Amino acid sequence: MEAHRTGPPGDRINGGQALIRALELEGVEVIFGLPGGAILPVYDPIIDSPIRHVLVRHEQGAGHMAEGYAQATGRPGVAMVTSGPAATNIVTPLCDAYMDSIPMVCITGQVATTAIGTDAFQECDTVGITRSVTKHNELVTRAEDIPMAIRQAFHIATTGRPGPVLVDIPKDTVDPKNPGAWFEWYWPTDEEVAASLPGYRPTTKGHPKQIREAAEMISQSVRPVIYAGGGILKARGAEALRELAELVDIHVVTTLMARGAFPDDHELALGMPGMHGTYTAVTAMQQADLLIALGSRFDDRVTGKVSAFAPDAKIIHVDIDPAELGKVRRPDVPIVGDSRQVIEELIKSLKDLGAPDNQPDRSAWKQTISGWQETFPLTYTQSEPGDLLKPQYVLEQLRDLSPPDTILATGVGQHQMWASQYWNFRFPYTWICSGGLGTMGFSIPAAIGAKAGMPDRTVWAVDGDGCFQMTAQELVTAATERIPVKIAILNNAYLGMVRQWQEMFYEERYSEVYLSPDLPDYVMWAEAMGCVGIRVESPEEVAPAIEKANSINDRPVVLEFRTDASEKVFPMVPSGMSNDDIVVGPEQGAGAA
Ligand SMILES: Cc1ncc(C[n+]2csc(CCOP(=O)(O)OP(=O)(O)O)c2C)c(N)n1
Ligand SMILES: [Mg+2]
């Protein structure tokens, strides 16, 4: 390989130093990690590096922190762990990042090249194990290949459809005592990186003919809906999306991964579609004559029963990943490209056709939509004095008492769905949740990663009691590293989402879902981890506790809200059913609407 030399002549460096220097040159400001035998030589040069290292308590935490950092900042998150059990501990975050297209670079230590394949201590086939949950992974076998491997990793993680990339580094390639680990420093140029990946050329610009067809189709539709997915955020396309929606005056649904990509307080916003989406978002998609899918992937949680999904709708599907087009639903107009760039071209094309003046009369459709909005808003019944708190009330208070640009992370379960429903998203990159994989335990480390990347913003994690027990130890990391995140546990004493399914679909036969409200004692646990812990049991205590938490900025805060376990998430499209069978809550007639 012809190398571009940037160091002084004779700038000899070992693999460990090269790895850290490469991360510095990639602009990395923080690494989330935990050392061990195989990665030890790389931890030594960290002492001399300006890069901040956040020492986690479990490698899963490092991975989710890197994801949270990436989702909040738009920059790739970096995690570094040792071999064997550490590498397997980070498989869940890799899979999570893969499913949600999150740019992340994971460095793992590996046993020495000479020991690979001998069942050496803490050896596992990291590249084999992680192959199906990474966009790309690679075992580096020579120290001098490290700079290129790191440049490729960042390039692949951040371009095209973003995703996690893993670089596995055997100990001898970074060990300063190994003469073979020393080489003359070089830093590959962009051209060299591109040339080293001949098969990798993501298409970003949509095909002009397809874009023109899409513009024509939009200009003829009378019941259109924009179906905006997480790809809009990845493409930094929120502004373009708004311009498009306003130009043609078409309503927008934002999927779980796209919350914040379009402001909830906009008159064209319909909120979240899918299994727990708003009645209007679900039904508008279902009855549309055109779905304009932008960076969304027709996930089963959105479509419900695929054969019954949006039966009359033509489909325009824009995605940077050609594999998404036609994967679930055949598009009438498929467009491969970066969603922001495609939207910008689509806007031009629509204007060429005469937009906004050439749009057909859609007043009947608009009236239908506002009728649904009036009849089926999100709703719940406030608790009686002395009863447990309603989770929706807690979320409304948290929303109204926190700064509008608060970053909100969640775990997985009922609390996640209520958070997505009841929050009022006004800005992109304020919502961080595990969508595709649905990883319990995501919120605390993800919130820490987000706060590390955005220290001036208020960062709340809304968590379930079950989720909290999976990754709470990372609050020790947050307290030690002075990363003052705020956690709201909705303690319903249950694995609530599973309980809801058992109540509704297993005749109230509750199997292994009860957790207890008091064990553990969340306040004592929070205090033991160096956080402020506050228990909240009645509605009058909710606002003062949130205000107190928002005023504490020198350590993490945990608020434990005692919530009503019988509360269920509505609307709901039962799994495997058609979106036409959407079930609304008891306040709206409890049953199929
Ligand atoms: C790692 C993992 N294990 C199991 C599940 C299945 N699951 C989904 S939601 C849920 C319950 C979550 O309980 P809790 O955190 O208390 O949230 P709640 O639903 O009560 O708000 C479970 C077990 C999962 N999503 N992730
Ligand atoms: Mg719970």
Side-chain angles (χ1 to χ4, degrees):
M1 182 173 54
E2 197 45 43
H4 175 78
R5 287 164 213 287
T6 53
D11 181 14
R12 286 185 67 76
I13 190 167
N14 67 55
Q17 294 167 329
L19 177 57
I20 296 302
R21 191 185 286 184
L23 295 178
E24 288 169 5
L25 288 170
E26 286 290 350
V28 173
E29 55 170 15
V30 54
I31 299 171
F32 304 98
L34 194 153
I39 197 83
L40 256 172
V42 183
Y43 267 80
D44 186 73
I46 284 182
I47 295 174
D48 305 317
S49 172
I51 298 178
R52 177 182 190 184
H53 182 277
V54 171
L55 175 62
V56 301
R57 266 47 179 179
H58 186 291
E59 290 86 356
Q60 183 185 358
H64 293 320
M65 285 178 206
E67 291 186 86
Y69 175 90
Q71 290 287 70
T73 64
R75 297 191 294 273
V78 179
M80 184 154 76
V81 302
T82 194
S83 65
T88 55
N89 273 350
I90 208 161
V91 170
T92 298
L94 288 170
C95 189
D96 195 275
Y98 189 59
M99 298 224 21
D100 287 345
S101 307
I102 297 174
M104 167 177 167
V105 172
C106 178
I107 315 287
T108 45
Q110 182 54 278
V111 300
T113 47
T114 47
I116 289 176
T118 67
D119 297 333
F121 179 63
Q122 294 191 329
E123 178 185 4
C124 73
D125 175 11
T126 303
V127 166
I129 290 169
T130 61
R131 178 158 294 132
S132 63
V133 295
T134 49
K135 184 177 174 186
H136 174 74
N137 68 10
E138 177 178 359
L139 172 72
V140 175
T141 53
R142 303 184 314 169
E144 58 267 38
D145 294 342
I146 288 175
M148 180 59 100
I150 295 299
R151 289 226 65 195
Q152 288 175 337
F154 279 84
H155 179 63
I156 294 172
T158 55
T159 52
R161 181 179 188 160
V165 176
L166 181 139
V167 185
D168 201 24
I169 309 268
K171 187 169 187 178
D172 53 332
T173 65
V174 286
D175 182 2
K177 292 191 212 76
N178 170 23
W182 291 83
F183 64 98
E184 199 169 315
W185 169 255
Y186 71 97
W187 186 236
T189 62
D190 290 348
E191 293 71 32
E192 286 165 347
V193 175
S196 73
L197 299 165
Y200 182 73
R201 295 281 181 277
T203 305
T204 53
K205 199 172 168 320
H207 195 288
K209 184 171 151 283
Q210 305 290 87
I211 291 175
R212 212 164 36 245
E213 251 181 67
E216 278 162 15
M217 204 172 259
I218 291 170
S219 307
Q220 281 152 20
S221 77
V222 288
R223 298 191 312 278
V225 172
I226 294 174
Y227 162 26
I232 293 282
L233 292 170
K234 300 294 170 0
R236 319 307 278 183
E239 252 175 66
L241 170 65
R242 185 175 177 151
E243 195 185 336
L244 171 69
E246 288 176 353
L247 174 70
V248 283
D249 201 20
I250 294 179
H251 286 92
V252 180
V253 304
T254 41
T255 68
L256 183 68
M257 292 310 297
R259 304 290 288 129
F262 191 75
D264 279 332
D265 52 7
H266 196 288
E267 58 171 5
L268 293 171
L270 299 182
M272 180 172 73
M275 181 175 273
H276 292 296
T278 65
Y279 180 90
T280 307
V282 172
T283 310
M285 286 179 88
Q286 201 60 4
Q287 299 191 13
D289 69 348
L290 175 67
L291 289 181
I292 306 158
L294 304 171
S296 49
R297 60 183 179 84
F298 294 79
D299 179 72
D300 54 82
R301 284 297 191 262
V302 168
T303 61
K305 188 176 169 189
V306 176
S307 58
F309 174 64
D312 303 329
K314 290 203 164 137
I315 307 285
I316 296 168
H317 193 174
V318 179
D319 206 289
I320 196 149
D321 183 353
E324 286 300 338
L325 304 179
K327 186 182 82 180
V328 175
R329 171 81 176 249
R330 191 188 63 80
D332 298 274
V333 181
I335 303 176
V336 179
D338 169 274
S339 57
R340 179 176 53 78
Q341 291 186 39
V342 173
I343 293 171
E344 285 166 358
E345 291 302 315
L346 189 55
I347 288 170
K348 280 190 210 150
S349 212
L350 282 158
K351 285 184 178 164
D352 288 346
L353 290 178
D357 303 329
N358 70 332
Q359 297 296 297
D361 177 12
R362 299 190 181 116
S363 51
W365 178 234
K366 288 187 163 256
Q367 259 172 22
T368 308
I369 286 178
S370 51
W372 289 327
Q373 283 173 322
E374 244 165 69
T375 317
F376 298 108
L378 288 171
T379 178
Y380 68 96
T381 309
Q382 184 53 287
S383 55
E384 299 292 329
D387 287 351
L388 289 162
L389 298 166
K390 292 291 175 158
Q392 300 95 329
Y393 174 72
V394 174
L395 285 163
E396 284 176 336
Q397 293 286 301
L398 192 59
R399 172 194 70 198
D400 295 343
L401 296 170
S402 301
D405 63 352
T406 293
I407 295 173
L408 180 66
T410 71
V412 170
Q414 291 181 309
H415 62 280
Q416 172 194 30
M417 292 297 117
W418 284 315
S420 175
Q421 289 179 339
Y422 281 86
W423 205 260
N424 184 11
F425 292 97
R426 269 163 282 178
F427 305 100
Y429 314 108
T430 54
W431 171 242
I432 297 176
C433 97
S434 168
L437 197 61
T439 308
M440 283 176 70
F442 178 80
S443 80
I444 292 173
I448 294 169
K451 182 76 179 170
M454 298 295 233
D456 299 334
R457 300 274 284 280
T458 299
V459 179
W460 273 99
V462 168
D463 215 3
D465 45 332
C467 287
F468 185 87
Q469 293 188 47
M470 288 202 180
T471 51
Q473 78 284 344
E474 297 310 335
L475 286 173
V476 179
T477 307
T480 310
E481 295 274 344
R482 301 202 176 279
I483 303 175
V485 291
K486 307 177 200 303
I487 317 295
I489 308 175
L490 301 186
N491 177 11
N492 55 5
Y494 274 96
L495 297 170
M497 187 56 97
V498 185
R499 183 195 180 284
Q500 172 165 347
W501 285 44
Q502 290 178 347
E503 180 180 336
M504 293 174 69
F505 312 120
Y506 289 83
E507 292 150 6
E508 300 179 33
R509 285 165 56 85
Y510 298 116
S511 175
E512 303 298 326
V513 286
Y514 181 64
L515 295 176
S516 156
D518 310 303
L519 187 66
D521 182 321
Y522 293 99
V523 171
M524 281 172 67
W525 191 3
E527 300 273 350
M529 292 188 289
C531 309
V532 175
I534 303 171
R535 179 167 299 127
V536 183
E537 290 175 287
S538 67
E540 342 48 276
E541 293 170 351
V542 172
I546 292 169
E547 272 162 355
K548 174 145 192 231
N550 277 335
S551 73
I552 296 172
N553 284 312
D554 60 348
R555 75 195 78 176
V557 187
V558 176
L559 301 187
E560 180 212 354
F561 295 97
R562 294 283 176 109
T563 59
D564 180 356
S566 67
E567 196 63 27
K568 290 185 285 299
V569 186
F570 289 115
M572 178 174 195
V573 178
S575 178
M577 304 277 276
S578 159
N579 283 349
D580 291 329
D581 302 321
I582 185 167
V583 178
V584 295
E587 299 81 4
Q588 294 167 342

